[in-house]
Amino acid sequence: MTGVRLLRLDEAAAMTAWAELCGPADLFNAPAWLAVEREAVGPWVPRANGCLVRAEGETVLAGVTVQQFGLDVDDETVRLDKMFPADSPVLGHPAEVLAGALQPSLMCGTWFNSSILTPPHAPAGRTDRARQELVDAVVDLADDWGSAAVFFPFVDAADTGLRRTLREAGFVEFAAPARHIFECGHGDYDEFVASLPSRKRNRLRREFAAVERAGVRTAVEPLDAATVDHAARLAHLLEQKYGQCSSYEQFQAWFDAIARHTEALVFTAARDAGPPVAMSMWIHHQGRLYGFHAGFDYERCQGLPMYSLVGYHLPMRYGFADAGTSVLEYGVGSDEAKRLRGTTALPQVLCVKALSRRARLVLDDVTA
């Protein structure tokens, strides 16, 4: 298999060499997640996908997951036209013009970690060349699939090698939301809270005291046939609140696939004897818990700090208590809320290359 080759998701998932590329930060490239993607269910189903690899014989020197999304998907986590920072001149174009010019587009590297995967112990010079060849192949593939643009949404700002390779290939950088992590591989939760500055410490204690006074019941359970429906219902309510067009049925099918192919947990909060009114879902991968989705029945939460409870207090307590968890991956967004609760922000950049004439025109403001 010498050279660059596009693999189907099932082909990549069956390769030991692909699995060996995926470290703790690469859940959404790992075989278990590729199995979820193969089912093509949920609100963010791509038009086309696969895994590009650069190999020499049986040795895979670099790999990247690719997904093409179009206007039929409206979520900002996969739509390039919805990813530009608020102060970007690109947003001077009307939203419909921007969407029409940049969609469909090819997303490389998936959520949380938009990297090109390389073997952890391979010589740098060898993998640098393979990565460069793979970037060229990504651009060619995007063009072959009729993409208006190709992009890496969340590139680690500290990965200067990949950023240089992308710039040399004609990609333009924009600011991207920081990725947040929480390290919990030492001490315990109460010690962590006690170590915080008084403003953060008092806020966390007030939040937890409020839900205790209200008699809120909490639980942590595996995502399985017994919990999928509650999780899907709450996730759908959250999406409705923010105007997304996804359906309950999409979430139910998606979460069912996640339950069958990954090791996932749900942290829930309930009032009285009723079903959960708040939840957060997390997926376990190589010592890390990835915060994947949340959901709330806002009417029944009645103003209680359920977001903080299921998104921070419960997962953090679990992380400190569980020997198999060292890091919580919080992803992007809600920066101030996450910092207030002790996360660490890791800077990232969005890297974009326009391919069509219309896409080049809307990016002229930043490339001129």
Side-chain angles (χ1 to χ4, degrees):
M1 195 178 69
T2 298
V4 176
R5 181 183 170 192
L6 176 64
L7 304 177
R8 299 189 312 269
L9 298 184
D10 61 319
E11 291 177 316
M15 289 176 57
T16 300
W18 178 271
E20 290 173 345
L21 295 177
C22 301
D26 303 314
L27 165 64
F28 297 105
N29 296 287
W33 187 258
L34 297 185
V36 175
E37 293 287 354
R38 289 202 306 273
E39 299 209 11
V41 294
W44 308 336
V45 177
R47 293 184 175 185
N49 56 19
C51 298
L52 270 175
V53 297
R54 168 66 175 91
E56 291 181 2
E58 297 301 313
T59 302
V60 176
L61 297 176
V64 64
T65 302
V66 292
Q67 299 172 287
Q68 187 192 60
F69 292 96
L71 293 172
D72 49 326
V73 175
D74 70 346
D75 196 273
E76 62 185 10
T77 59
V78 295
R79 278 274 296 271
L80 173 59
D81 56 297
K82 296 176 179 286
M83 291 186 177
F84 294 98
D87 60 352
S88 172
V90 174
L91 297 184
H93 299 278
E96 62 273 15
V97 171
L98 199 58
L102 296 177
Q103 298 300 111
S105 53
L106 188 72
M107 185 175 81
C108 305
T110 75
W111 310 305
F112 285 85
N113 183 26
S114 303
S115 63
I116 289 180
L117 308 175
T118 55
H121 304 298
R126 196 179 185 198
T127 55
D128 285 347
R129 287 190 298 274
R131 189 160 60 177
Q132 182 177 7
E133 292 175 16
L134 207 56
V135 169
D136 292 339
V138 160
V139 174
D140 290 341
L141 177 66
D143 195 38
D144 290 344
W145 283 0
S147 303
V150 56
F151 67 105
F152 288 73
F154 302 119
V155 176
D156 182 357
D159 190 346
T160 55
L162 177 57
R163 292 175 66 184
R164 181 175 60 252
T165 297
L166 292 172
R167 285 195 299 268
E168 291 172 352
F171 284 75
V172 179
E173 286 189 355
F174 299 85
R179 166 181 158 214
H180 287 258
I181 64 169
F182 179 79
E183 297 186 10
C184 51
H186 60 278
D188 63 29
Y189 180 75
D190 291 332
E191 290 177 359
F192 156 69
V193 172
S195 73
L196 293 174
S198 59
R199 180 172 70 104
K200 295 182 180 180
R201 180 175 66 247
N202 293 336
R203 183 188 185 99
L204 290 176
R205 287 174 173 168
R206 285 197 304 271
E207 289 172 344
F208 200 70
V211 295
E212 283 191 318
R213 287 195 301 271
V216 171
R217 295 180 294 107
T218 64
V220 53
E221 300 174 287
L223 182 70
D224 56 21
T227 54
V228 157
D229 286 344
H230 288 319
R233 177 180 62 84
L234 293 171
H236 177 51
L237 289 174
L238 175 63
E239 295 282 300
Q240 282 186 313
K241 179 179 174 64
Y242 291 100
Q244 301 296 319
C245 63
S246 52
S247 68
Y248 161 77
E249 289 76 17
Q250 287 175 319
F251 277 105
Q252 198 280 337
W254 200 21
F255 290 0
D256 178 67
I258 292 170
R260 286 184 284 105
H261 293 297
T262 74
E263 182 186 346
L265 298 172
V266 282
F267 296 89
T268 61
R271 306 208 61 185
D272 305 319
V277 299
M279 75 88 189
S280 68
M281 180 198 302
W282 297 72
I283 303 173
H284 205 278
H285 175 69
Q286 294 192 20
R288 296 188 178 217
L289 274 181
Y290 285 74
F292 183 73
H293 218 294
F296 304 92
D297 183 337
Y298 288 94
E299 289 186 6
R300 297 185 61 220
C301 285
Q302 297 179 347
L304 289 171
M306 295 297 199
Y307 166 75
S308 183
L309 177 66
V310 300
Y312 297 94
H313 293 283
L314 299 181
M316 287 177 176
R317 284 182 181 274
Y318 180 90
F320 278 115
D322 180 52
T325 302
S326 58
V327 173
L328 304 184
E329 287 273 2
Y330 272 94
V332 303
S334 304
D335 291 76
E336 182 60 19
K338 289 172 180 172
R339 287 193 181 95
L340 278 172
R341 293 162 177 87
T343 66
T344 299
L346 305 178
Q348 302 184 119
V349 293
L350 162 67
C351 299
V352 183
K353 182 178 177 69
L355 300 179
S356 72
R357 178 179 177 276
R358 291 179 68 193
R360 287 192 293 271
L361 287 174
V362 302
L363 294 180
D364 274 350
D365 292 329
V366 293
T367 58

